[in-house]
Amino acid sequence: SSLARLTPTGGVHGNVNPSTSYNARMWRDKPLLKFAGVESYFRTGTEAVQILVNEANRRDGDKALYLEQFEAMMRSLTPVFDRAPRYAWLAKAFLEPERTIEFRVSFLDDTGSVRTHRGYRIQYSSTLGPYEGPLHFGTNVTAENLKSMALASNFSHALAGSRLGGAAGGANFDPSRSSDAEIQRFCQAHMG
């Protein structure tokens, strides 16, 4: 067939008949996840997604926004897992960001008092390249919000074909209630 001529060994996955090859069956004998002595296997893309979503729920059960985003992204990958099950093991890396950094940001306000806020940087994945993502300031900024944004940033970079990893950062600082000088001092403290 013309498909067999595309690769030296034939076929999309390197085998003329992937259903009878050892490599095609190998993933069926390997658990996708192993936790507390329980191994989770899958046969379809839907089952792989369910295993990944259940594990995300176990790890981050109190983060509804992040779980909703994670589940939507994994569900969109169901056909990919059906066609190429090995990608389910790659998707497993998206269960946790590479780094979650939480830090204190202290600066002097206009009255000379020290104000302290909480800053965050979620570095989700550097697989495609260096981290890149948005920076948010506001009273509603939390680690959960930024984790969701970093995951979305990672997928948007991949879909756009850019060679950048996903990240997001910010702080629970409200610039609308601060003077320009306070915003400048806060940003210098946040970046410094």
Side-chain angles (χ1 to χ4, degrees):
S1 79
S2 63
L3 183 61
R5 290 190 303 266
L6 293 177
T7 60
T9 55
V12 175
H13 303 290
N15 299 311
V16 174
N17 189 355
S19 63
T20 59
S21 74
Y22 172 74
N23 288 337
R25 290 188 315 266
M26 187 174 68
W27 68 268
R28 289 188 176 96
D29 300 328
K30 186 176 172 186
L32 178 59
L33 286 172
K34 191 175 188 178
F35 178 73
V38 177
E39 296 178 340
S40 300
Y41 296 87
F42 69 96
R43 295 281 178 211
T44 66
T46 303
E47 289 175 5
V49 167
Q50 196 55 52
I51 290 169
L52 293 169
V53 168
N54 288 346
E55 180 63 12
N57 275 310
R58 186 189 68 75
R59 293 176 184 213
D60 295 307
D62 59 334
K63 296 176 176 73
L65 177 66
Y66 167 73
L67 290 173
E68 182 181 327
Q69 179 129 21
F70 182 83
E71 183 172 358
M73 294 211 179
M74 288 301 120
R75 294 226 181 275
S76 70
L77 294 174
T78 300
V80 174
F81 299 155
D82 278 329
R83 288 191 69 177
R86 67 181 178 270
Y87 289 117
W89 278 270
L90 294 176
K92 187 169 62 169
F94 290 110
L95 285 168
E96 287 292 332
E98 289 176 6
R99 283 181 201 82
T100 300
I101 305 164
E102 189 173 318
F103 52 95
R104 177 189 58 202
V105 182
S106 297
F107 69 101
L108 288 175
D109 65 11
D110 290 339
T111 64
S113 300
V114 175
R115 290 179 35 195
T116 302
H117 293 275
R118 185 172 290 164
Y120 306 94
R121 185 69 177 162
I122 311 291
Q123 298 175 330
Y124 216 92
S125 176
S126 61
T127 303
L128 295 176
Y131 301 110
E132 193 276 336
L135 190 61
H136 295 274
F137 298 134
T139 55
N140 62 342
V141 172
T142 64
E144 176 191 1
N145 293 352
L146 293 173
K147 190 173 179 180
S148 297
M149 288 181 220
L151 177 65
S153 172
N154 207 66
F155 273 81
S156 66
H157 290 155
L159 292 172
S162 61
R163 308 284 294 173
L164 297 168
N172 63 348
F173 169 74
D174 188 0
S176 67
R177 296 182 182 191
S178 302
S179 69
D180 288 346
E182 286 176 331
I183 293 170
Q184 181 179 357
R185 287 191 296 271
F186 173 81
C187 288
Q188 288 170 344
H190 188 270
M191 302 300 172

